[in-house]
Amino acid sequence: MKHLKNLENNLINIKQRRAIKIKRCWWKEAVFYQIYPRSFKDSNNDGIGDIKGITSKLDYLKELGIDVVWLSPVYKSPNNDNGYDISDYRDIMCEFGTLKDWDEMLCEMHKRGIKLIMDLVLNHSSDEHMWFIESRKSKDSLYKDYYIWADGNENGEPPNLWESVFGFSAWHYDEDAKQYYLHLFSKKQPDLNWSNPKLREEIYDIIEFWIKRGVDGFRLDAIRFLGKPEYKNEAVDFYPNDDLTHIYLKEMNQKILSKYNIVTVGEVQDLDIDGAKKYIRESDKELNMCFQFNHVNICEMKYGTKWVNKKPNMFDVKKALSKWQTELPVDAWNTLFFGNHDLPRQVSFFSNDSDHYREISAKMLATIIFTLKGTPFIYQGEEIGMTNIIFDKLDDYNDIDTINFVKQKAEIEDIDIETAFKQNKDIINFVSRDNARTPMQWDDSENAGFTAGTPWLKVNPNYKKINVESNIKDSNSVFNYYKKLIELRKKNDVIIYGDYQEFLLDDKCVFIYKRELYDEKVLVIINMTDEIMQKKMPLNLNVKEATPVICNYKRAYNFKKEMLLRPYESVIYFYY
Ligand code: GLC
Ligand code: CA
């Protein structure tokens, strides 16, 4: 009896201690899944994915175990940048359906316990938005100051040398307005003028519109660019004015976001840890999380451009990931991802998409994402190990970034577009954003079950082998491995909230870390290479006994003093 009492007291103690340490929060415990609607599922066979298509696949998402959908833009848009150019923030693109379809989708999501975050593009609108149409009409227009207009320099050239993210000058001369306007992305995406309080109020109204309609949060596109520096400078690169951006985000938080129980994730390019603290520390009251790209932009940082046919060095990737695990303050929370709609397919880019290693190495990447500290994001198709696509003609590409890259090459080198494409084909095949945008591969029927029409972007021919249907049937598939990882994460607070400690920090090939929450300890061992690795267990890793709980090979070895790791082997152990 006394023994039982003690045990009970102990349990109460553990629970109390935990309650102190863990500040529970739904979006920290959730698994997010990004849908790129154009490519997810076509319900009416016009070749374009749509909202009804998404609704028809919610049981699939439930089966996988996801909690929140991040939906790339579905608002009205002329589709110059596939929805990231919005012409009406309060309506749905005709090709995708109607507001009624959207309401139905949300209702079906909520029925299944799935939340929805919308992608909000607030740095720019489409040039076909009513605000811009009015803005360019006259200097006295009520909307003039909704955008950033400037006269040319004394030679009539653009006000400065800033280049847009998609290549070419960031200024476009507007014949009607007889002035230049700023567009940090394509010329059909004029930048909004956040220094105008009226514009900011409009934006808060839009946010409120969607919250009232039931959304659970937002992904905030290109959010760092809101604050503009003085444009009369000579720099070619545009360096955002972070101070201003933070002022805007604080105001947005105070005036609207903080009033609701929603989650916000900002997309923040070129961010270091000190910078991130300002966006996501609880005390700063701006955003909940951000996407930072330090582990993804390894090549870009090295070569100064993303347009290289090079895989990132996994040692650099590990260092970047680990840094964010150890250096973010306790009141800030990380995101975890290797892919999204702007990046190549992760298995082709970071690991190995050969027939032999595709599945095993896709599982290796997933093991990292699901066992580090932070909220994991899956990009559609990643859970079945979808790969990059090889298009042989420029015509097959749709992505504005890719097309502008080729045009700019042609212009600079004074060659024709076809030649520019051919000369850069390998690079484009490797990094183009269309790699991630080919239609979702549902089954082995024509067009991968995505559409019975002609898909807007060609389906990857490997769909006969790589598809959802075959993944679900095969208990060893990438899909079923993701399911197991998600279940494991949900059942074990230690994986969500546990402390992080890395071992063998200087090892270029293996990534080893433990997660610890009181009496619970998890050890993750990853071989990041395609070679067999033999390593001594780190001495400071004090393990009495360890049980493998998940391994990407059929059988995991029990814990030993010596590790013998097969190519891309990843094992999660529970130990004491
Ligand atoms: C973000 C989006 C990208 C888009 C750009 C402009 O980076 O993720 O797809 O092209 O912003 O909106
Ligand atoms: Ca359709």
Side-chain angles (χ1 to χ4, degrees):
M1 195 56 197
K2 191 169 170 226
H3 177 70
L4 263 184
K5 198 83 212 145
N6 276 345
L7 199 70
E8 223 168 73
N9 281 342
N10 264 344
L11 274 178
I12 290 170
N13 270 341
I14 289 175
K15 278 194 181 145
Q16 277 170 350
R17 284 201 334 250
R18 273 199 189 164
I20 295 166
K21 176 143 184 173
I22 299 176
K23 217 172 147 197
R24 287 197 175 280
C25 171
W26 66 267
W27 45 263
K28 294 182 180 170
E29 298 180 7
V31 175
F32 284 59
Y33 185 96
Q34 184 191 353
I35 292 183
Y36 195 70
R38 218 174 176 72
S39 304
F40 194 60
K41 173 72 187 162
D42 178 16
S43 73
N44 61 350
N45 299 325
D46 63 353
I48 297 170
D50 46 51
I51 290 181
K52 283 202 158 113
I54 298 172
T55 311
S56 73
K57 291 295 184 187
L58 293 178
D59 286 336
Y60 167 71
L61 299 181
K62 190 73 202 159
E63 159 93 12
L64 177 58
I66 69 113
D67 306 289
V68 186
V69 166
W70 150 24
L71 186 58
S72 276
V74 291
Y75 317 93
K76 274 230 156 33
S77 161
N79 274 312
N80 175 253
D81 186 18
N82 282 341
Y84 285 88
D85 46 323
I86 299 171
S87 54
D88 184 349
Y89 287 87
R90 290 186 175 79
D91 206 351
I92 302 292
M93 192 187 302
C94 301
E95 289 167 331
F96 288 171
T98 61
L99 269 174
K100 191 167 154 273
D101 297 338
W102 185 92
D103 288 336
E104 244 166 56
M105 174 190 73
L106 184 68
C107 175
E108 291 302 317
M109 284 178 170
H110 284 168
K111 260 192 214 160
R112 290 166 177 79
I114 297 175
K115 293 188 191 320
L116 173 68
I117 68 169
M118 295 281 273
D119 207 321
L120 258 188
V121 188
L122 303 179
N123 176 66
H124 44 267
S125 72
S126 159
D127 65 342
E128 296 180 32
H129 193 290
M130 180 276 281
W131 297 335
F132 190 75
I133 296 173
E134 290 299 320
S135 180
R136 71 176 8 153
K137 271 189 188 155
S138 97
K139 286 214 155 98
D140 310 318
S141 158
L142 281 177
Y143 296 93
K144 184 76 190 171
D145 284 341
Y146 275 42
Y147 296 87
I148 299 167
W149 294 96
D151 294 327
N153 65 15
E154 54 279 17
N155 304 323
E157 292 157 347
N160 65 23
L161 298 174
W162 291 346
E163 265 204 27
S164 99
V165 175
F166 297 156
F168 300 108
S169 169
W171 297 93
H172 185 73
Y173 188 73
D174 188 83
E175 292 295 342
D176 293 345
K178 306 258 176 294
Q179 269 192 316
Y180 284 90
Y181 66 83
L182 180 70
H183 62 89
L184 292 178
F185 293 87
S186 99
K187 64 175 186 237
K188 284 186 68 63
Q189 293 168 302
D191 278 53
L192 291 163
N193 178 13
W194 272 73
S195 68
N196 178 354
K198 259 174 61 198
L199 179 269
R200 300 205 298 274
E201 287 301 328
E202 297 256 20
I203 300 282
Y204 306 150
D205 278 357
I206 290 167
I207 293 179
E208 186 144 57
F209 171 87
W210 289 103
I211 296 179
K212 293 261 155 74
R213 253 192 139 84
V215 297
D216 304 287
F218 300 96
R219 179 256 188 192
L220 301 164
D221 184 73
I223 205 67
R224 186 169 185 190
F225 296 112
L226 298 191
K228 313 290 188 220
E230 179 55 52
Y231 67 79
K232 288 186 179 107
N233 66 33
E234 290 300 307
V236 175
D237 290 326
F238 169 89
Y239 297 104
N241 182 333
D242 286 316
D243 292 343
L244 271 179
T245 301
H246 291 299
I247 291 174
Y248 302 146
L249 288 179
K250 283 199 169 64
E251 182 188 275
M252 188 199 295
N253 184 297
Q254 183 232 327
K255 289 207 168 168
I256 178 93
L257 302 176
S258 60
K259 295 188 183 152
Y260 302 92
N261 178 23
I262 56 165
V263 65
T264 49
V265 196
E267 182 207 27
V268 196
Q269 283 86 355
D270 301 320
L271 194 68
D272 60 16
I273 296 209
D274 282 335
K277 287 179 191 163
K278 299 195 185 137
Y279 284 94
I280 56 174
R281 279 187 92 144
E282 280 165 28
S283 48
D284 275 315
K285 299 205 168 30
E286 291 188 13
L287 304 175
N288 297 127
M289 296 184 271
C290 70
F291 294 121
Q292 50 83 16
F293 299 88
N294 288 269
H295 61 291
V296 172
N297 285 349
I298 303 286
C299 295
E300 195 166 337
M301 283 190 279
K302 190 159 168 201
Y303 301 101
T305 168
K306 78 167 193 181
W307 297 103
V308 285
N309 188 8
K310 294 253 189 317
K311 284 192 179 203
N313 175 326
M314 286 307 280
F315 181 44
D316 292 334
V317 173
K318 146 172 145 167
K319 279 190 294 191
L321 286 170
S322 204
K323 188 176 166 69
W324 283 72
Q325 293 291 301
T326 46
E327 292 181 20
L328 259 195
V330 282
D331 66 339
W333 191 257
N334 213 357
T335 57
L336 302 163
F337 67 97
F338 278 125
N340 68 28
H341 65 295
D342 294 327
L343 297 167
R345 284 286 173 186
Q346 64 187 47
V347 68
S348 305
F349 190 64
F350 289 99
S351 58
N352 194 324
D353 63 6
S354 69
D355 282 352
H356 197 61
Y357 286 130
R358 184 184 60 85
E359 291 188 291
I360 214 86
S361 78
K363 293 174 186 172
M364 181 275 285
L365 295 175
T367 313
I368 298 177
I369 293 303
F370 281 92
T371 56
L372 287 175
K373 189 168 183 171
T375 296
F377 285 74
I378 302 171
Y379 177 69
Q380 69 183 39
E382 166 195 323
E383 76 280 16
I384 55 168
M386 278 177 65
T387 67
N388 272 0
I389 178 89
I390 294 178
F391 287 141
D392 291 319
K393 296 194 304 283
L394 182 60
D395 270 0
D396 288 336
Y397 282 95
N398 166 280
D399 168 30
I400 174 116
D401 189 24
T402 306
I403 293 166
N404 275 5
F405 167 71
V406 178
K407 282 188 183 159
Q408 203 171 18
K409 276 271 166 202
E411 196 177 291
I412 292 169
E413 287 168 31
D414 199 18
I415 47 181
D416 62 74
I417 300 230
E418 270 316 304
T419 315
F421 174 72
K422 280 200 192 106
Q423 283 178 0
N424 294 282
K425 181 176 171 299
D426 291 348
I427 296 175
I428 292 165
N429 287 166
F430 190 56
V431 293
S432 167
R433 304 195 298 179
D434 280 338
N435 281 308
R437 299 177 181 187
T438 62
M440 181 74 182
Q441 294 163 205
W442 294 104
D443 56 40
D444 65 2
S445 68
E446 206 181 338
N447 290 323
F450 164 71
T451 180
T454 310
W456 72 278
L457 190 69
K458 282 188 181 158
V459 175
N460 194 316
N462 64 18
Y463 71 88
K464 296 250 179 225
K465 204 167 66 202
I466 305 173
N467 62 62
V468 167
E469 198 177 64
S470 64
N471 261 259
I472 289 179
K473 278 189 203 137
D474 171 7
S475 60
N476 281 320
S477 67
V478 178
F479 175 86
N480 280 308
Y481 188 84
Y482 265 75
K483 251 183 92 166
K484 272 193 252 165
L485 283 175
I486 294 174
E487 270 164 28
L488 187 78
R489 191 174 183 278
K490 290 209 168 135
K491 281 198 198 121
N492 294 281
D493 279 343
V494 53
I495 298 182
I496 300 169
Y497 294 107
D499 291 336
Y500 167 91
Q501 188 190 351
E502 192 193 348
F503 301 92
L504 302 187
L505 273 65
D506 295 324
D507 195 294
K508 299 196 164 49
C509 306
V510 299
F511 190 10
I512 302 185
Y513 48 91
K514 80 167 178 190
R515 305 289 313 282
E516 184 170 3
L517 191 69
Y518 300 110
D519 49 342
E520 288 167 19
K521 289 184 193 157
V522 175
L523 178 67
V524 183
I525 299 184
I526 309 269
N527 177 1
M528 304 183 294
T529 74
D530 61 358
E531 281 165 37
I532 294 178
M533 288 291 142
Q534 192 161 13
K535 304 269 167 190
K536 282 219 161 35
M537 269 298 161
L539 283 176
N540 50 345
L541 185 64
N542 193 5
V543 179
K544 292 199 191 80
E545 212 169 287
T547 323
V549 286
I550 289 190
C551 175
N552 59 349
Y553 278 83
K554 282 220 173 84
R555 192 176 150 266
Y557 294 115
N558 279 331
F559 200 86
K560 296 201 191 81
K561 287 242 162 350
E562 186 107 319
M563 298 178 269
L564 188 68
L565 296 169
R566 291 158 283 188
Y568 302 112
E569 179 157 0
S570 317
V571 199
I572 304 173
Y573 294 95
F574 280 16
Y575 75 104
Y576 67 90

